[in-house]
Amino acid sequence: MPRSLLGKPLFYLARSRVPTTTSRLSCSKALTLTMPKTLDEPDVGISCFVSSLPGFRGVLKHRYSDFIVNEVNREGEVVHLTSFDLPQECADVKAEEESNSNDKDYSTQIESFRILCGDADAEALKSFLGKISSGSDTEIDPIILSPDSDKLHRADVHNFFKKNFNFFITDTVEGPDDKSKCVRVRFSSGQAGKGGNNKRGKKRKGVFGTDREGGRFDSRGSDSWHLGKFVRFHLYKENKDTQEALGVIGKMLGIQTRAFGFAGTKDKRSVSTQQVTLFKVHPKRLAVLNDRLFGIKIGNICYVKEGLVLGQLKGNHFTITLRDVVGDSEEVITNAADGLGKHGFINYFGLQRFGSGPIPTHLIGAILFRGEWKSAVDLILNPREGEREAVKEVREHYTEDGDIDEMLKNLPRYLVAERSILQCLKKCPGNYLQALKAIPRTLRMMYVHSYQSYLWNHAASLRVQKYGISQVVVGDLVYCKDSSPEEGTVIDSSEIESDAADAFLLDSSSEIQPEEKLPVVKVVDHEDISKGTYTFEDVVLPLPGSRVIYPDNEVASIYHEMAEKDGISLTESAHGVKEFSITSMTGGYRRVYQRPVDYTWEMTKYKNDNESLAQTDLDIITGKVTEDEKKDESTVVEGSHLVPKEKVALKLGFTLPPSSYATMAIRELLKSSSLAASQKINP
């Protein structure tokens, strides 16, 4: 049995190896970075286990309903979708827009509008009013008036609607060409708007595909805003990440995704429920979307006084089903399941933190810290192994001819970073730093934060290898007993599998709240050891930054040694760009060890790999039962049909704090890599 240097049986060290290819980047230091064909756990410092219990085989996420995530809010309540009803405050109130628009003759106003804008726009307005007067609950799309290059005339149009149609909101959007603009007319589901121009002075997204910055759309006029100017709802989604789901809802509402407030992003391949807030959007506008949404539901709508921001949660509750479970014996499986609850796991950042694409995000982060802007742009844009052939060809063509327009035309829209860079380079050729800054902030900060996580994982492995997990040692860092922080001091990333979305520490993010402070830590001394004041559960390690301290033992050296090998100094910046400078980042702390809370497990048997083995929130609302709950499931053999072989599944339930990865808990349970590609159902 493996032993630590202290001579106690404390951990197992993973020995897996992956084939690698070496790629030389065109960087000033001419460093050679080794990029694995498939990123595996040892590549990002994940190598240790807590217990010596043997593992077993199990398949994770065969179905997205095998991975259910329910947010735990700031009050410690698990968030569930339980109702589609409107808030009581507006359930008995007839929508004011009906009294404003139904059974009213607008012929005089339409004729006045015809004189102002012409026949085509007048007929469009007449049709628009007809749709509203029909009383349908279906969401009504806005109308776009004819292109108009006369600013004064557009102002007259806006004033016309303010005076004659107080239940409409207007704004200006981009026209079909660079010189023209159009007036957009929307129906306010609250009541009368008081004008809808964007008072923040920013242009909204153009309806002809031109990307513009935009503020949130203010649906004014509800009689219930005295209860709170924000509407909060529970977002239920299946096989969609948070940004994707909010993008769909935002498009239907005609608002930008940035208008939504939420506490953390959830995994794509899962079924998840979380709280979301919007500023002054009438509940009815949200409720009527359910009939049009696929794989997304909105419920538990209520008024609140404040919107959510990243990090405002206690954690996440997971309901995980491992299929096709096979072990040396049933006792091995039960001992391992019990052991996870008792012994916990090393609190590594999971593989999702480092991106699902063939170019690990921490490698790009290292290049950004060195200030090699062109190298970073090249790494993001250039062809890469393992990508879809069509996308790979687009990248290859760009590498050969440098045709930005052609690449933008053919590049999929989900490749947000690439498209942002190209659009900037088209306007500012050769300005690679500006091109990198054109990437949405949360996405571009993913690169530098993942490098911090990369160093932290390696430090955690060295701490366990060097000193074990049975005790605190002199020089360890621990949270001070009188100032131990809430786990909400880090932004949640329950399980992220997308390159286009991540959640990060509060260190240098623009979302940081003024009242947030770095938790107070201390270095363990001999007096602490003799008193037994701290245990291994108290041990933390820093994520590099300007305001953190490092352990006063050999673990500290790995941070500087690994960074130095990558050409990075943790104490001096190589350039003056603060957001890509590790010395301008506050940093943070993270517990090395994590024990699951409210831990439960049970074994069940099933026959069909496509059976649903756990109930989702939507299943409960609709009364749907899982296959293994059906009383009259047929097991009769007819003709030559064979009875399917019975298989074993392990169902787990537990809660983790924000930013802890459930896949790392499953890794400890199975004693195998969490790499999704290595887990397949046996036929």
Side-chain angles (χ1 to χ4, degrees), residues 346-600:
I346 305 299
N347 195 25
Y348 289 119
F349 289 97
L351 284 175
Q352 303 95 316
R353 183 71 165 183
F354 306 96
S356 60
I359 305 297
T361 52
H362 69 282
L363 295 185
I364 300 175
I367 296 172
L368 292 175
F369 280 137
R370 294 199 298 268
E372 296 158 6
W373 316 129
K374 185 179 186 304
S375 295
V377 168
D378 288 343
L379 198 56
I380 294 171
L381 294 182
N382 284 352
R384 51 189 66 181
E385 294 296 326
E387 202 165 35
R388 287 195 298 117
E389 195 61 33
V391 177
K392 187 177 178 182
E393 288 180 4
V394 172
R395 293 182 187 274
E396 289 173 346
H397 286 313
Y398 173 74
T399 303
E400 294 170 0
D401 56 32
D403 190 333
I404 292 178
D405 288 330
E406 186 68 17
M407 190 174 185
L408 281 171
K409 178 181 177 181
N410 297 306
L411 201 66
R413 293 199 172 273
Y414 67 81
L415 295 175
V416 177
E418 287 87 340
R419 295 188 64 86
S420 299
I421 287 174
L422 290 167
Q423 286 164 352
C424 182
L425 289 178
K426 182 179 178 180
K427 297 177 181 178
C428 308
N431 194 336
Y432 299 107
L433 174 58
Q434 193 61 36
L436 290 165
K437 287 186 174 183
I439 300 172
R441 180 176 173 81
T442 51
L443 178 52
R444 69 179 184 261
M445 295 309 294
M446 172 181 66
Y447 302 128
V448 292
H449 285 138
S450 64
Y451 187 78
Q452 287 178 298
S453 305
Y454 168 77
L455 294 181
W456 189 97
N457 276 1
H458 281 281
S461 290
L462 180 62
R463 170 58 180 82
V464 176
Q465 294 169 34
K466 191 77 176 175
Y467 303 115
I469 62 169
S470 65
Q471 58 187 340
V472 176
V473 299
V474 173
D476 274 337
L477 295 181
V478 294
Y479 288 129
C480 292
K481 287 294 185 180
D482 57 350
S483 62
S484 182
E486 296 184 5
E487 294 297 342
T489 56
V490 290
I491 296 176
D492 174 48
S493 56
S494 60
E495 298 291 326
I496 298 173
E497 290 188 335
S498 172
D499 281 339
D502 200 357
F504 312 106
L505 294 176
L506 281 169
D507 49 21
S508 65
S509 160
S510 61
E511 291 87 1
I512 186 168
Q513 302 302 301
E515 68 273 17
E516 292 287 355
K517 296 180 179 179
L518 205 61
V520 180
V521 299
K522 67 161 293 182
V523 178
V524 173
D525 55 28
H526 289 284
E527 183 179 354
D528 295 320
I529 299 294
S530 62
K531 290 182 178 180
T533 307
Y534 300 98
T535 70
F536 182 68
E537 294 190 33
D538 298 310
V539 176
V540 300
L541 284 172
L543 287 116
S546 62
R547 290 175 52 194
V548 300
I549 62 173
Y550 292 89
D552 191 12
N553 54 35
E554 293 185 42
V555 177
S557 62
I558 194 170
Y559 286 96
H560 299 281
E561 289 172 2
M562 294 193 68
E564 186 177 345
K565 288 179 181 178
D566 290 331
I568 298 168
S569 170
L570 300 183
T571 57
E572 296 180 4
S573 178
H575 52 76
V577 183
K578 288 188 176 181
E579 66 179 285
F580 298 144
S581 170
I582 205 161
T583 58
S584 297
M585 303 170 73
T586 302
Y589 298 98
R590 180 180 177 89
R591 295 186 189 275
V592 176
Y593 170 87
Q594 186 62 54
R595 194 194 306 270
V597 179
D598 301 326
Y599 178 77
T600 62

Side-chain angles (χ1 to χ4, degrees), residues 217 219 225 229 231 253 255 278-283 285-286:
F217 172 53
S219 295
W225 293 134
K229 293 188 177 182
V231 170
L253 293 175
I255 63 177
L278 268 174
F279 181 72
K280 282 193 173 182
V281 172
H282 197 282
R285 294 191 70 203
L286 291 167

Side-chain angles (χ1 to χ4, degrees), residues 146-181:
S146 302
D148 188 351
S149 58
D150 187 341
K151 185 175 182 179
L152 293 177
H153 184 263
R154 292 198 305 270
D156 290 339
V157 174
H158 289 302
N159 290 328
F160 176 87
F161 279 97
K162 288 180 184 179
K163 179 179 179 181
N164 296 283
F165 298 100
N166 62 356
F167 49 89
F168 283 151
I169 291 178
T170 61
D171 61 357
T172 301
V173 297
E174 296 300 313
D177 54 62
D178 294 338
K179 296 182 179 180
S180 65
K181 300 187 185 304

